[in-house]
Amino acid sequence: MYSYSVSFGLKQMLLHTTLLAHNELQDSYDIVIKFHSAKNLPKKFLGHTTPYCVAKIDHKISYTSTIISKTSSHTWDNEKWFVRNIPINAKLSVKVYDKDDDQIVDNYIGRFDIFDLINYTPPVKGHKIIGLFGQHHGYFHLSIELTKSSDDTKHLPPYTFDGPCRYFRHDSFAVGRLTMLNTDYVYSTWKIQIRRISEFFKPCDRQYWNKKYLAARTIFGNFPHSLASQSTIKLAHKILYGRTIKNTENGHLTNAHDLWKSIFTDPITKEIKPCIYTYIIDNNTWRFSQTGTQFFTNFASKHALLANCSEHVRYAGEFHPRPKYGWDRCDDEWELVFDNGSGTYAPDASLLNNLKELLAFNFPGLNIVTYNREDPQLKQSIQQLKLFMEN
């Protein structure tokens, strides 16, 4: 009787321990972090500090805030970050920087860490920002909303970015004078943070660089000049996509209307600009810029440059806007036409529908058409676009 009870009790204890461990592994949380302000920051000799922060959760996912322009009140407006399925023991690290357009590297102000997000209570004075040598460099204020992951979202991968969709447009006047695409001599690049990319493009679906493509082998191959090529491309990426105080615009996107109005409509003419863009989708962003046959335009829009020389992307190709009912009805609905036209990454055409679903999810109401790069209908659509541009 006694031995039976002990044996039974040990089995029950083992089962209970196993279930607890399993449940702990299964426990995940959704988090919304709101960034409010940075106070009492070190003063500059001339002018105001222009702070921004870089937040990371377990070094798995990161968020870069907008830059607070030159003002004495270092307060963010509606700055929040939504991440799904973080573990119960997740850690948040926040670093604060001072943006300086005249320097290669921004000034580091300091950092702080939050080790217990589940039982988080904000300090009354804010989090102490600690500098490189332990100096006190001000206080940072944020708030955290944490809920257990729902049954509807538990299927998402850990650390899934779920909003908000923010866009950043960077205008380069130096490159604009080389590309000569407009009378303002401006070349613009766009970066849009989009939600749940890993739900539509699984990690196993990553598109690696095309080893059959000579230009890709020149960049990514094991050649003496490959490192030099990568360094040049990464420098160009920093110039074209690096955020600045003066030449960067940003905002939020919630639907197709926002996308057309904020991204593709000329602010002066109030018309949609007909042109062809190259694009890449990486882990959290959709990056694109206008392409063309002219040398500098072609170089500035290379897929390897958009991807910052990453050996893989989630997807890549070209896209262009067009009137849904023909070029003689430009005042009616528009649509975006996407393809998989990237020699560098040669994306799988079977994933074009995944791309369509991803964009439709992020921008409800968006009209999307997809074509394989070899589809005659794509070539016809581009020819009609070019003819309209010439006329």
Side-chain angles (χ1 to χ4, degrees), residues 21-221:
H22 177 72
N23 289 335
E24 185 175 341
L25 288 172
Q26 292 300 309
D27 279 348
S28 59
Y29 293 81
D30 297 338
I31 189 170
V32 180
I33 304 172
K34 296 181 180 178
F35 304 92
H36 299 300
S37 62
K39 301 296 184 182
N40 301 328
L41 299 178
K43 293 183 179 180
K44 280 187 172 181
F45 180 71
L46 293 173
H48 295 289
T49 305
T50 49
Y52 68 94
C53 68
V54 178
K56 292 183 179 181
I57 300 178
D58 294 339
H59 296 283
K60 299 288 186 180
I61 185 171
S62 66
Y63 176 93
T64 303
S65 75
T66 53
I67 302 166
I68 299 179
S69 58
K70 296 181 182 294
T71 173
S72 58
S73 175
H74 299 138
T75 302
W76 282 279
D77 180 27
N78 195 29
E79 192 81 26
K80 57 185 177 181
W81 182 28
F82 193 176
V83 182
R84 293 196 182 272
N85 294 341
I86 67 169
I88 192 171
N89 58 346
K91 167 191 167 183
L92 174 68
S93 301
V94 179
K95 293 183 178 180
V96 185
Y97 296 88
D98 174 27
K99 183 64 184 176
D100 192 336
D101 288 351
D102 298 325
Q103 294 187 13
I104 298 175
V105 180
D106 295 331
N107 300 316
Y108 176 70
I109 295 176
R111 65 173 294 165
F112 64 92
D113 300 302
I114 300 175
F115 295 94
D116 188 359
L117 296 174
I118 306 301
N119 302 304
Y120 175 75
T121 301
V124 176
K125 290 185 177 181
H127 294 276
K128 282 186 178 181
I129 303 172
I130 306 302
L132 277 177
F133 302 104
Q135 310 100 316
H136 178 204
H137 281 172
Y139 293 94
F140 195 99
H141 295 268
L142 58 80
S143 59
I144 293 175
E145 297 174 14
L146 203 72
T147 57
K148 273 201 169 184
S149 301
S150 68
D151 292 336
D152 296 332
T153 58
K154 278 186 177 180
H155 69 281
L156 295 172
Y159 308 98
T160 293
F161 170 75
D162 206 17
C165 288
R166 301 184 304 162
Y167 76 87
F168 297 89
R169 190 198 73 223
H170 178 68
D171 297 330
S172 174
F173 294 92
V175 179
R177 291 185 181 92
L178 296 172
T179 56
M180 302 283 288
L181 289 173
N182 51 59
T183 55
D184 296 325
Y185 302 109
V186 175
Y187 186 79
S188 299
T189 59
W190 287 266
K191 180 174 75 172
I192 302 177
Q193 295 174 317
I194 52 179
R195 303 163 52 208
R196 303 192 188 185
I197 291 177
S198 292
E199 182 179 11
F200 298 89
F201 291 96
K202 308 299 180 186
C204 60
D205 292 329
R206 287 191 176 101
Q207 308 296 296
Y208 284 83
W209 66 275
N210 181 12
K211 295 182 179 180
K212 297 180 181 179
Y213 190 53
L214 178 59
R217 292 202 304 270
T218 302
I219 299 169
F220 298 108

Side-chain angles (χ1 to χ4, degrees), residues 97-387:
Y97 296 88
D98 174 27
K99 183 64 184 176
D100 192 336
D101 288 351
D102 298 325
Q103 294 187 13
I104 298 175
V105 180
D106 295 331
N107 300 316
Y108 176 70
I109 295 176
R111 65 173 294 165
F112 64 92
D113 300 302
I114 300 175
F115 295 94
D116 188 359
L117 296 174
I118 306 301
N119 302 304
Y120 175 75
T121 301
V124 176
K125 290 185 177 181
H127 294 276
K128 282 186 178 181
I129 303 172
I130 306 302
L132 277 177
F133 302 104
Q135 310 100 316
H136 178 204
H137 281 172
Y139 293 94
F140 195 99
H141 295 268
L142 58 80
S143 59
I144 293 175
E145 297 174 14
L146 203 72
T147 57
K148 273 201 169 184
S149 301
S150 68
D151 292 336
D152 296 332
T153 58
K154 278 186 177 180
H155 69 281
L156 295 172
Y159 308 98
T160 293
F161 170 75
D162 206 17
C165 288
R166 301 184 304 162
Y167 76 87
F168 297 89
R169 190 198 73 223
H170 178 68
D171 297 330
S172 174
F173 294 92
V175 179
R177 291 185 181 92
L178 296 172
T179 56
M180 302 283 288
L181 289 173
N182 51 59
T183 55
D184 296 325
Y185 302 109
V186 175
Y187 186 79
S188 299
T189 59
W190 287 266
K191 180 174 75 172
I192 302 177
Q193 295 174 317
I194 52 179
R195 303 163 52 208
R196 303 192 188 185
I197 291 177
S198 292
E199 182 179 11
F200 298 89
F201 291 96
K202 308 299 180 186
C204 60
D205 292 329
R206 287 191 176 101
Q207 308 296 296
Y208 284 83
W209 66 275
N210 181 12
K211 295 182 179 180
K212 297 180 181 179
Y213 190 53
L214 178 59
R217 292 202 304 270
T218 302
I219 299 169
F220 298 108
N222 295 319
F223 302 109
H225 55 270
S226 295
L227 288 177
S229 297
Q230 291 183 29
S231 298
T232 302
I233 292 171
K234 288 180 178 180
L235 177 61
H237 177 91
K238 186 173 184 178
I239 293 171
L240 287 169
Y241 286 90
R243 297 185 305 158
T244 60
I245 301 169
K246 297 178 182 178
N247 302 323
T248 298
E249 178 184 297
N250 63 82
H252 289 74
L253 304 171
T254 58
N255 51 40
H257 177 266
D258 293 345
L259 189 68
W260 287 114
K261 181 180 178 181
S262 301
I263 307 300
F264 298 112
T265 300
D266 188 291
I268 298 175
T269 65
K270 306 300 181 183
E271 295 179 351
I272 296 173
K273 181 181 179 181
C275 62
I276 302 173
Y277 300 89
T278 54
Y279 75 92
I280 65 103
I281 305 282
D282 61 15
N283 290 338
N284 290 310
T285 59
W286 168 26
R287 292 198 194 103
F288 56 91
S289 65
Q290 185 176 346
T291 189
T293 56
Q294 195 252 26
F295 174 80
F296 289 107
T297 307
N298 184 44
F299 175 76
S301 60
K302 288 291 187 184
H303 289 103
L305 192 153
L306 268 66
N308 198 21
C309 264
S310 173
E311 293 193 352
H312 58 77
V313 295
R314 296 303 178 98
Y315 214 69
E318 295 183 350
F319 74 91
H320 62 273
R322 72 180 184 188
K324 186 175 181 180
Y325 303 108
W327 285 102
D328 56 343
R329 295 179 60 177
C330 291
D331 57 345
D332 211 322
E333 286 186 67
W334 282 68
E335 59 191 8
L336 291 179
V337 180
F338 285 84
D339 63 40
N340 60 331
S342 169
T344 303
Y345 296 105
D348 185 348
S350 67
L351 294 173
L352 278 168
N353 194 58
N354 299 52
L355 174 67
K356 184 175 181 178
E357 291 176 351
L358 170 67
L359 295 172
F361 171 78
N362 278 272
F363 309 108
L366 182 62
N367 298 316
I368 307 162
V369 179
T370 58
Y371 293 124
N372 188 339
R373 63 184 298 177
E374 303 298 335
D375 195 318
Q377 293 183 79
L378 173 64
K379 296 177 181 179
Q380 182 183 10
S381 181
I382 293 175
Q383 287 174 355
Q384 291 173 347
L385 168 71
K386 290 180 177 179
L387 181 61

